[in-house]
Amino acid sequence: MTSVSASDGRAVSPPAKVIQPAWVRVVHWINAVAMIIMIMSGWQIYNASPLFDFTFSRSITLGGWLAGGLLWHFAAMWLLMVNGLVYLVLGLATGRFRRKLLPITSSGVAADTRAALSGKLSHADLSRYNQVQKLLYAIVIVAGIVVVLSGLSIWKPVQFQWLTAVFGGYDFARYVHFACMALIVAFLVVHVALALLVPKSLRAMVTGR
């Protein structure tokens, strides 16, 4: 970091570069809380009518029973929808999505994947996303939109029958909803793991620098 001189001749370091603006940090942490509540309560709801030959342990579910899970799920749903809408609007209006997520190329993703697997992927400049990060963030944004829409089609299949039809009917919409949830959970696991491996990225999401 290059220092500058104060009027009395002392060397003064310039202010640290803002990596994560305040609005990004606020919506990030609100989204994290809402998403965890949605996932855990969703697992409770799933257990009442499983799609597959397994259920989730009660230790990682929220609500205690079906009605309790539904209450938590619907409460967090509104928080997630409003917060997600704010994130999308500000991300587009400020140009953050364009700057951070574009361009994404297959060759770039392949090269950064190889670098990551060999431990050579640089994390020196946190203000710039590598191609793998860009792809993962783009996927999780799309998955987040689809999980909300499929959730609405499951919640109100009569009122939103046109939306339910888009997902191939109520039963298939449940599979779409589950698949998007699984993608989001996988993203969260990778996201948290990388935050622990690169602690300064977590610090930036707290302090902005």
Side-chain angles (χ1 to χ4, degrees):
M1 182 179 293
T2 304
S3 62
V4 296
S5 298
S7 57
D8 59 0
R10 291 181 294 107
V12 178
S13 298
K17 179 181 180 181
V18 174
I19 300 172
Q20 304 291 359
W23 71 266
V24 171
R25 285 176 277 141
V26 170
V27 297
H28 173 274
W29 291 113
I30 292 176
N31 188 67
V33 173
M35 190 62 71
I36 291 172
I37 295 174
M38 287 288 289
I39 291 170
M40 294 180 67
S41 60
W43 288 344
Q44 179 65 59
I45 297 168
Y46 167 91
N47 283 353
S49 180
L51 290 171
F52 306 101
D53 294 329
F54 68 87
T55 58
F56 294 96
S57 170
R58 288 176 60 86
S59 63
I60 57 172
T61 63
L62 182 64
W65 60 310
L66 176 58
L70 287 169
L71 289 174
W72 278 106
H73 209 64
F74 292 149
M77 175 188 72
W78 294 111
L79 179 61
L80 182 67
M81 287 179 61
V82 172
N83 190 66
L85 185 60
V86 169
Y87 176 68
L88 288 175
V89 170
L90 290 178
L92 292 171
T94 61
R96 179 179 175 85
F97 289 165
R98 183 186 68 255
R99 295 192 307 272
K100 292 287 189 178
L101 303 182
L102 297 177
I104 302 174
T105 64
S106 57
S107 59
V109 171
D112 282 348
T113 299
R114 288 193 298 270
L117 293 176
S118 62
K120 298 179 180 179
L121 189 61
S122 174
H123 301 286
D125 186 1
L126 295 181
S127 66
R128 297 178 63 86
Y129 291 160
N130 60 61
Q131 292 281 318
V132 176
Q133 283 179 297
K134 291 180 180 181
L135 179 62
L136 290 177
Y137 280 121
I139 289 174
V140 81
I141 288 172
V142 173
I145 294 172
V146 175
V147 82
V148 168
L149 294 178
S150 60
L152 289 174
S153 72
I154 296 169
W155 178 40
K156 297 289 186 179
V158 176
Q159 292 85 343
F160 295 114
Q161 55 184 299
W162 59 271
L163 184 58
T164 307
V166 168
F167 288 107
Y170 178 85
D171 291 331
F172 195 72
R174 289 189 66 201
Y175 284 98
V176 172
H177 197 65
F178 186 93
C180 289
M181 178 278 297
L183 278 175
I184 292 171
V185 170
F187 171 83
L188 290 177
V189 170
V190 174
H191 189 62
V192 171
L194 290 177
L196 294 176
L197 290 172
V198 188
K200 62 182 180 180
S201 65
L202 180 59
R203 183 179 68 246
M205 193 54 75
V206 175
T207 66
R209 303 176 188 276

